Amino acid sequence: MAILQLSDVHKTYPLGKTEVHAVRGVSLEIQKGDFVSIAGPSGSGKSTILNLIGCIDRPSGGSVRLGGVDTAKLSDRELTRLRHRVLGFIFQSFNLIPVLDVYENVEFPLLLGREVPKPAERRERVGRLIREVGLETWTRHKANELSGGQRQRVAIARALVTRPEVVLADEPTANLDSATGESILALMQAMNREFGTTFVFSTHDARIVDLADHVVRLKDGRIAEEFRRGGAA
């Protein structure tokens, strides 16, 4: 079952008196439970496509459907609800809340929904993910007391804590050493298997491309190659 569908999607940005064509007629279908790598050189449109899938940007043309819903027909408030219900985000810039400590940053998304889990369940989920990303001894440290790699691990735990249907990850291993990067990828693979979570990565990391069961390569805003392991897409 397709959980994400892009149909002839275009995205242009104004740059002075000209326009930048970041995405040019991309059509893409992602199935529930896919482990997807969107790869390509800088400027190929990877992050733009992630932002379009995540309803952070709206397409200049074409359509983006998330869970069967045409996102162009939703109001900003409806898009916010859809993002919170379905999506988890891992940003390159981390987007942690400076006044909160590690535990509070990871817990924060659980407090935003209409149905807030009970305290015991929140403690179990948050504690498990903090352990999984190796930050048990940093639980009560504020974000500005952490290294870049540690902040990235907090961002990853925060994205996973709501057990979203789809996780969008923009270069999630970029600030991690090799060992930590491999452990994080193993955690994501485990969530993919255990919960059927769909992962969509924008990445230069060959390890993610090798692990993906669905690979999309971009060039100049277009799909240059697409395949699934074991056969063509």
Side-chain angles (χ1 to χ4, degrees), residues 108-148:
F108 186 68
L110 293 176
L111 304 175
L112 297 177
R114 292 182 175 181
E115 297 181 9
V116 177
K118 293 181 179 179
E121 183 180 352
R122 296 203 306 272
R123 285 194 298 271
E124 189 280 326
R125 283 204 209 179
V126 175
R128 175 189 173 189
L129 282 167
I130 288 175
R131 290 192 300 274
E132 293 277 8
V133 299
L135 290 174
E136 307 98 302
T137 59
W138 295 85
T139 300
R140 293 304 174 188
H141 287 255
K142 297 289 196 295
N144 61 5
E145 299 173 319
L146 306 176
S147 68

Side-chain angles (χ1 to χ4, degrees), residues 28 34-37 39 209-210 212-217 223-233:
L28 178 64
D34 273 0
F35 208 75
V36 185
S37 165
V209 177
D210 289 343
D213 54 36
H214 184 178
V215 177
V216 180
R217 297 189 189 277
I223 294 178
E225 180 185 22
E226 181 183 4
F227 63 89
R228 292 180 180 272
R229 303 293 182 194

Side-chain angles (χ1 to χ4, degrees), residues 18-207:
T18 64
E19 286 188 333
V20 175
H21 296 269
V23 175
R24 303 167 181 259
V26 167
S27 294
L28 178 64
E29 195 166 281
I30 294 171
Q31 305 298 316
K32 181 173 174 57
D34 273 0
F35 208 75
V36 185
S37 165
I38 299 177
S42 297
S44 61
K46 300 189 305 296
S47 294
T48 301
I49 285 180
L50 227 59
N51 287 340
L52 292 168
I53 291 172
C55 308
I56 295 171
D57 281 343
R58 293 180 184 263
S60 306
S63 68
V64 177
R65 301 181 73 87
L66 176 57
V69 177
D70 185 347
T71 59
K73 297 180 179 179
L74 301 181
S75 67
D76 288 343
R77 176 173 290 187
E78 288 169 332
L79 282 176
T80 299
R81 288 176 182 162
L82 182 66
R83 279 196 297 266
H84 186 265
R85 190 176 76 249
V86 177
L87 299 173
F89 293 90
I90 302 170
F91 298 99
Q92 286 191 57
S93 56
F94 315 130
N95 288 358
L96 302 183
I97 301 171
V99 297
L100 301 184
D101 61 30
V102 167
Y103 184 98
E104 292 164 336
N105 263 288
V106 176
E107 181 188 38
F108 186 68
L110 293 176
L111 304 175
L112 297 177
R114 292 182 175 181
E115 297 181 9
V116 177
K118 293 181 179 179
E121 183 180 352
R122 296 203 306 272
R123 285 194 298 271
E124 189 280 326
R125 283 204 209 179
V126 175
R128 175 189 173 189
L129 282 167
I130 288 175
R131 290 192 300 274
E132 293 277 8
V133 299
L135 290 174
E136 307 98 302
T137 59
W138 295 85
T139 300
R140 293 304 174 188
H141 287 255
K142 297 289 196 295
N144 61 5
E145 299 173 319
L146 306 176
S147 68
Q150 288 171 324
R151 293 181 196 185
Q152 181 70 303
R153 285 185 268 169
V154 177
I156 289 167
R158 182 186 58 187
L160 300 180
V161 75
T162 59
R163 296 175 183 166
E165 292 183 52
V166 181
V167 174
L168 305 177
D170 194 5
E171 300 284 1
T173 57
N175 297 289
L176 305 178
D177 60 69
S178 296
T180 303
E182 288 174 7
S183 69
I184 291 300
L185 290 175
L187 170 60
M188 292 178 178
Q189 283 184 296
M191 282 202 67
N192 176 254
R193 290 190 299 267
E194 184 176 350
F195 299 112
T197 309
T198 304
F199 284 86
V200 184
F201 300 91
S202 161
T203 186
H204 287 92
D205 191 334
R207 292 173 300 178

